Amino acid sequence: MTRGAVGTAMAADCTKAAGGVRTSRSARDGLDKSITLPPDEIFRNLENAKSFAIDIGGSLTKLAYYSTVQHKVAKVRSFDHYGKVPDDEPLYEISVQEEITARLHFVKFENAYIETCLDFIKAHLVNTETKVIKATGGGAHKFKNLIEKKLGLKVDKEDEMTCLIKGCNFVLRNIPHEAFVYVKHADPEFRFQTTHPDIFPYLLVNIGSGVSIVRVESEDQFERIGGSSIGGGTFWGLGALLTKTKRFDELLQLASKGQHTNVDMLVRDIYGGSYESFGLTGDLIASSFGKSATTDKEFTKEDMAKSLLHMISNDIGQLACLYAKLHNLSRVYFGGFFIRGHPVTMHTITYSINYFTKGEVQALFLRHEGYLGAIGTFLKGAEEDNPNQYSWGENYAGSSGLMNSSPDVHPMQRTRSGTFDMLEMDRLERQLVNLPLLQDASSYIPDTVDLTEDAMAREYWLSCFEDALDGVVKRAVASQPQLLDATERAEKFRQKYRHKLQTLRHQPFAYGSLTVRSLLDTREHCLNEFNFPDPYSKVKQRENDVALKHFQKVVRALESLSMEERQFALVKGLLAGNVFDWGAKAVSDVLETNSAFGFEEAKMRLQARPWLVDAYNDWLERLKGPPHKCALFFVDNSGIDIILGVFPFVRELLSKGTEVILASNSGPALNDVTCSELAIVTERIAAMDSVIRTALQEDKLLLVQSGSSSPCLDLSRLDKGLATVVWERKTDLVIIEGMGRAIHTNYYAALRCESLKLAVIKNAWLAERLGGRIFSVVFKYEMPPK
């Protein structure tokens, strides 16, 4: 196996917006006439906004605000049973409750629309206690009176550089695929980087009108160590003089079409070829604009713009390299108005850095660099709440994602307005940290295949998720039969998720590396967006009830076997249980059409040994040695999987003296068992099995939430409580079960202890790609390096 959503905000007719307010003539003149006042899809949840911050640059305004979001969550609660549970009564009850969580909103729009946007914000603010709005950027002075008048808030100015650094630290900590390198003509052009667990120190090169070079040592310790007056303002100013083009983006468009060699003097123009003794190639620029002094001809606007862009980018690149070497820094991030995600700009910066450092330093860009100032300004105003004590996650349903602003943008994008751009982040309940057992957290990559790099796999999985939409919609509606608007909300979910998938076909780099995990997570975010918190809740309830009735029979059958027979039966039971996955269409089709399909039938579907990946003999040999001290088991599905597959296996480990930590999802995803469901199931099993009951009483069996609400697993973003328990218990075995957790993610994860990764391949295309067939078995047992 090789290792390998974007879209601009939809512009709606202005009559959709409250009050039908239209943009003024001055705002519309000379701009895209299709751009209208942003509706609620842009400035979302304003009625619950609590605090604001604003960053106003030369042409773009970035607004940040914090809101509380009320949404539905599925809760399970055990019935108060006394004695035996009646056969006709379910194990637990399910209720849908309202829950309030925190969300950060960041909206970017052109300054030409600031007055209209402020009107819209003011009209939608309800019961806000905010009296002050934090502001930064050059425009914070220019628009101070306008903001105070429109919003009735006092403007409190914050230091621009401090805000910039705070914002940069925040996105690097909370968005895994924030940083990328840009490689022109590669497929994909964007190569996303794994953020190092310790983000410090780094060099930030902020290119606005001028250039500021900042060494960042810690959260609050940084120093401006250099800079230059030759920056974005220089490009804009000289470009306007040379081309008579006044708009920055139009100037970049000209540059993208130009040929700088018509204007620049190259080494070969001077020496007739390369200059090997100095290591200079013939196509190297010897003198920017050098030919304009010796050539008696007119130069095109495009060629002059391209030459100017190269001149300034090379100057900035060389300056950045010198400071990086002087301060021994290998991580150099570029941001500021000059970058703005423009491919031609990123390419020239990258080329310069590669040339001057001979590839030793990479030019790193940030997906959300345009929001750094706004994020930092907001954080300054929210220090009492200390947002940094939480972990945050990007909400794919409410974020625009990274846009390729190439002049040759796909026609689909050209039909929509790029004026407004959004980022939303949800506060997670607890801090997320690395699994302490990762061999090297800095090189850990959760996902097995990067779909941005694998075009064939990308097309398959995008089509696969699109084909599955009808089934997801049907399941969502069925989960809320008592709610009259369920069908309408499900259709809105369908439209939104389909739009995300369609956009990802053209911009697969939108949210970082495109993976099966990100496609699944985006779907979960969209379901939650339309109040479908757990479409499989009733399926899980029913399957848990049925499986519990067979638990004692399965255990009795295992106890009658010899040691070696029992170990194989336990593994086979684990694998058979893992077949019951509603996220796999091949399985869900069987489960919906054949109610008699059960545990024994699943065993018969399994691939006979030798398996596709078969390390069972090594595992059996290991079991003949001393028992493990503590096993961490990342469990997968509800029903037969957890009850008849996992618990008998766990029971065996406990019988040998091994402590067990069962890590389950904090929130729902497909039919994966959640921590609250697992607690009820475990309580019921303990009531009928003394081994499980004793282990619970003696604190040798622990149930801990993983911090995840995904069918996949990122071992660099786990609940801090889980990481603490793993470390304290001296865990020496990690078991990862299921296609999502052990195949789509963590197939190559290297750990500092023994590990079992096992799954049944329930997708025919994936099985064929791995060299097997559907229901092939992967059983990887790995020892840590000595």
Side-chain angles (χ1 to χ4, degrees):
M1 190 183 301
T2 58
R3 185 190 295 280
V6 147
T8 51
M10 290 183 287
D13 189 274
C14 61
T15 55
K16 270 186 71 177
V21 182
R22 294 182 180 271
T23 54
S24 65
R25 177 183 296 275
S26 61
R28 294 195 309 264
D29 287 347
L31 295 173
D32 183 351
K33 297 299 189 292
S34 69
I35 297 172
T36 56
L37 181 66
D40 292 331
E41 285 88 343
I42 310 296
F43 292 105
R44 291 159 27 108
N45 207 40
L46 273 172
E47 66 275 12
N48 295 316
K50 302 297 181 185
S51 56
F52 288 87
I54 198 163
D55 175 15
I56 308 177
S59 65
L60 294 175
T61 293
K62 286 78 67 177
L63 179 75
Y65 61 98
Y66 166 98
S67 77
T68 52
V69 181
Q70 190 170 7
H71 60 95
K72 288 182 169 58
V73 292
K75 296 283 188 180
V76 298
R77 184 176 72 84
S78 179
F79 287 110
D80 295 325
H81 292 300
Y82 297 94
K84 182 175 171 60
V85 180
D87 289 340
D88 59 346
E89 188 172 312
L91 175 66
Y92 54 82
E93 63 177 333
I94 304 166
S95 62
V96 176
Q97 301 174 15
E98 296 290 337
E99 189 172 273
I100 295 177
T101 56
R103 179 172 290 173
L104 295 181
H105 306 255
F106 305 98
V107 183
K108 182 165 56 181
F109 51 89
E110 293 180 11
N111 288 351
Y113 296 90
I114 188 168
E115 189 166 351
T116 306
C117 289
L118 291 175
D119 281 335
F120 185 89
I121 293 165
K122 179 63 178 177
H124 285 67
L125 288 177
V126 179
N127 299 325
T128 180
E129 299 176 0
T130 301
K131 302 300 181 187
V132 176
I133 182 169
K134 292 284 186 179
T136 194
H141 293 291
K142 179 180 178 181
F143 293 101
K144 179 177 183 293
N145 292 336
L146 176 66
I147 296 169
E148 291 184 338
K149 177 184 175 183
K150 291 286 186 182
L151 297 185
L153 304 175
K154 180 180 180 293
V155 172
D156 187 5
K157 184 91 164 56
E158 291 289 344
D159 176 69
E160 194 169 355
M161 191 55 65
T162 301
C163 294
L164 195 69
I165 301 302
K166 274 190 170 292
C168 191
N169 293 341
F170 184 83
V171 296
L172 288 174
R173 286 188 191 283
N174 289 284
I175 303 180
H177 286 164
E178 176 62 28
F180 62 91
V181 297
Y182 181 79
V183 185
K184 189 179 180 181
H185 303 310
D187 185 16
E189 302 161 275
F190 300 83
R191 301 287 175 87
F192 294 92
Q193 308 293 295
T194 301
T195 302
H196 195 283
D198 184 4
I199 64 174
F200 306 111
Y202 65 84
L203 197 69
L204 178 63
V205 182
N206 190 55
I207 314 170
S209 297
V211 180
S212 290
I213 300 177
V214 185
R215 175 186 170 93
V216 184
E217 289 286 350
S218 67
E219 193 66 45
D220 298 305
Q221 186 179 354
F222 60 89
E223 179 186 4
R224 186 183 188 277
I225 57 175
S228 172
S229 62
I230 302 173
T234 314
F235 174 68
W236 199 351
L238 285 178
L241 291 173
L242 291 168
T243 67
K244 308 304 179 188
T245 300
K246 295 295 184 181
R247 290 177 64 85
F248 187 85
D249 288 344
E250 288 179 11
L251 190 60
L252 279 172
Q253 281 195 334
L254 289 175
S256 70
K257 300 173 183 176
Q259 179 56 260
H260 77 96
T261 56
N262 292 332
V263 182
D264 293 338
M265 187 174 290
L266 308 182
V267 168
R268 65 169 173 261
D269 295 323
I270 300 174
Y271 298 104
S274 302
Y275 197 168
E276 286 85 357
S277 61
F278 279 91
L280 303 177
T281 59
D283 59 356
L284 188 68
I285 298 173
S287 175
S288 295
F289 287 90
K291 288 180 181 175
S292 61
T294 59
T295 305
D296 187 19
K297 71 171 186 177
E298 292 290 325
F299 297 101
T300 67
K301 293 180 179 181
E302 290 81 1
D303 292 347
M304 288 189 292
K306 188 62 169 285
S307 175
L308 181 62
L309 182 64
H310 274 288
M311 181 182 78
I312 292 171
S313 298
N314 286 335
D315 182 68
I316 295 171
Q318 185 172 30
L319 198 61
C321 291
L322 291 172
Y323 277 104
K325 287 185 175 181
L326 184 63
H327 292 268
N328 196 29
L329 296 172
S330 59
R331 279 173 280 181
V332 183
Y333 298 105
F334 289 85
F337 179 82
F338 185 66
I339 304 295
R340 284 180 59 190
H342 285 281
V344 65
T345 309
M346 293 188 295
H347 171 64
T348 52
I349 290 282
T350 299
Y351 180 88
S352 175
I353 291 288
N354 287 341
Y355 177 80
F356 289 116
T357 68
K358 295 181 171 59
E360 293 178 5
V361 175
Q362 285 186 318
L364 294 167
F365 305 96
L366 301 171
R367 282 206 291 135
H368 301 103
E369 62 87 16
Y371 289 117
L372 301 186
I375 292 171
T377 310
F378 174 82
L379 294 174
K380 286 286 288 182
E383 285 177 341
E384 289 182 7
D385 298 326
N386 191 10
N388 280 320
Q389 71 180 331
Y390 302 99
S391 289
W392 298 78
E394 183 174 4
N395 184 328
Y396 298 143
S399 297
S400 301
L402 180 68
M403 293 182 295
N404 183 348
S405 49
S406 166
D408 301 320
V409 71
H410 191 273
M412 177 183 171
Q413 185 177 329
R414 280 202 298 269
T415 61
R416 298 195 304 272
S417 164
T419 302
F420 299 98
D421 183 67
M422 299 172 295
L423 165 65
E424 286 187 357
M425 298 188 73
D426 289 323
R427 192 180 79 187
L428 308 177
E429 287 304 311
R430 296 190 176 127
Q431 281 188 300
L432 301 183
V433 298
N434 285 301
L435 176 69
L437 297 174
L438 284 173
Q439 196 177 115
D440 180 9
S442 64
S443 63
Y444 167 69
I445 298 174
D447 303 287
T448 305
V449 177
D450 186 342
L451 302 181
T452 49
E453 297 182 5
D454 191 330
M456 184 181 296
R458 178 170 71 241
E459 179 54 37
Y460 171 77
W461 286 112
L462 286 170
S463 297
C464 186
F465 278 89
E466 193 162 9
D467 292 343
L469 253 178
D470 286 344
V472 178
V473 169
K474 178 182 175 183
R475 182 65 56 192
V477 173
S479 70
Q480 299 179 359
Q482 74 283 8
L483 298 180
L484 298 177
D485 66 339
T487 300
E488 180 185 352
R489 285 185 286 111
E491 282 304 314
K492 289 181 178 179
F493 154 74
R494 184 207 301 272
Q495 292 170 17
K496 184 152 198 172
Y497 188 56
R498 178 173 285 153
H499 169 70
K500 294 284 184 186
L501 293 175
Q502 290 171 346
T503 312
L504 283 166
R505 289 184 187 275
H506 308 297
Q507 295 164 280
F509 46 78
Y511 298 109
S513 294
L514 180 63
T515 63
V516 172
R517 174 168 64 105
S518 68
L519 288 170
L520 285 163
D521 291 350
T522 302
R523 188 168 69 184
E524 293 298 323
H525 292 179
C526 291
L527 281 166
N528 280 306
E529 182 75 18
F530 296 102
N531 275 322
F532 292 106
D534 193 356
Y536 290 85
S537 57
K538 288 181 169 55
V539 173
K540 291 185 288 182
Q541 180 192 45
R542 183 177 66 250
E543 292 185 345
N544 285 333
D545 287 337
V546 171
L548 280 168
K549 293 178 173 62
H550 297 278
F551 176 76
Q552 289 176 303
K553 178 182 177 182
V554 169
V555 169
R556 284 196 299 269
L558 289 166
E559 287 178 334
S560 67
L561 301 174
S562 66
M563 183 272 185
E564 290 199 8
E565 288 175 331
R566 188 167 67 253
Q567 302 315 312
F568 184 70
L570 285 165
V571 167
K572 193 171 181 180
L574 256 183
L575 295 166
N578 193 243
V579 168
F580 292 85
D581 182 353
W582 282 86
K585 191 174 186 301
V587 174
S588 62
D589 287 348
V590 172
L591 296 177
E592 286 185 335
T593 57
N594 183 4
S595 59
F597 187 84
F599 194 40
E600 296 304 319
E601 287 76 13
K603 289 179 185 178
M604 295 171 61
R605 293 286 183 105
L606 295 176
Q607 175 190 21
R609 291 191 68 197
W611 294 324
L612 184 62
V613 177
D614 195 336
Y616 175 75
N617 291 342
D618 294 335
W619 170 246
L620 181 62
E621 200 60 34
R622 170 62 184 86
L623 291 178
K624 296 174 183 177
H628 297 90
K629 178 172 180 52
C630 180
L632 168 62
F633 199 134
F634 288 101
V635 298
D636 194 5
N637 306 306
S638 291
I640 289 177
D641 190 353
I642 185 69
I643 295 169
L644 304 185
V646 171
F647 264 103
F649 192 91
V650 166
R651 189 178 182 277
E652 180 77 7
L653 290 173
L654 293 168
S655 300
K656 291 176 178 292
T658 300
E659 296 178 355
V660 178
I661 304 166
L662 289 181
S664 55
N665 271 10
S666 300
L670 295 172
N671 65 314
D672 293 0
V673 64
T674 64
C675 194
S676 55
E677 292 163 347
L678 181 59
I680 296 172
V681 167
T682 305
E683 179 187 3
R684 182 71 185 97
I685 290 176
M688 58 176 129
D689 187 272
S690 61
V691 175
I692 300 298
R693 182 167 62 251
T694 301
L696 283 172
Q697 292 169 347
E698 296 179 354
D699 205 27
K700 293 181 179 178
L701 174 61
L702 291 88
L703 311 182
V704 186
Q705 59 180 308
S706 67
S708 172
S709 298
S710 170
C712 297
L713 181 64
D714 182 351
L715 297 177
S716 69
R717 285 173 69 81
L718 295 178
D719 189 286
K720 189 175 182 179
L722 172 59
T724 301
V725 170
V726 166
W727 185 258
E728 291 175 346
R729 296 287 172 129
K730 296 181 172 57
T731 301
D732 54 356
L733 172 65
V734 174
I735 304 169
I736 306 177
E737 176 208 13
M739 235 169 58
R741 291 167 177 79
I743 304 297
H744 293 312
T745 53
N746 299 304
Y747 191 81
Y748 295 113
L751 302 175
R752 292 193 286 113
C753 67
E754 296 173 53
S755 65
L756 272 182
K757 299 169 187 175
L758 59 151
V760 178
I761 309 300
K762 293 151 288 194
N763 177 281
W765 181 89
L766 179 60
E768 184 178 351
R769 205 171 215 231
L770 295 174
R773 297 179 180 177
I774 195 162
F775 299 116
S776 289
V777 169
V778 170
F779 188 93
K780 289 183 77 174
Y781 168 62
E782 296 173 316
M783 294 283 291
K786 294 181 180 179

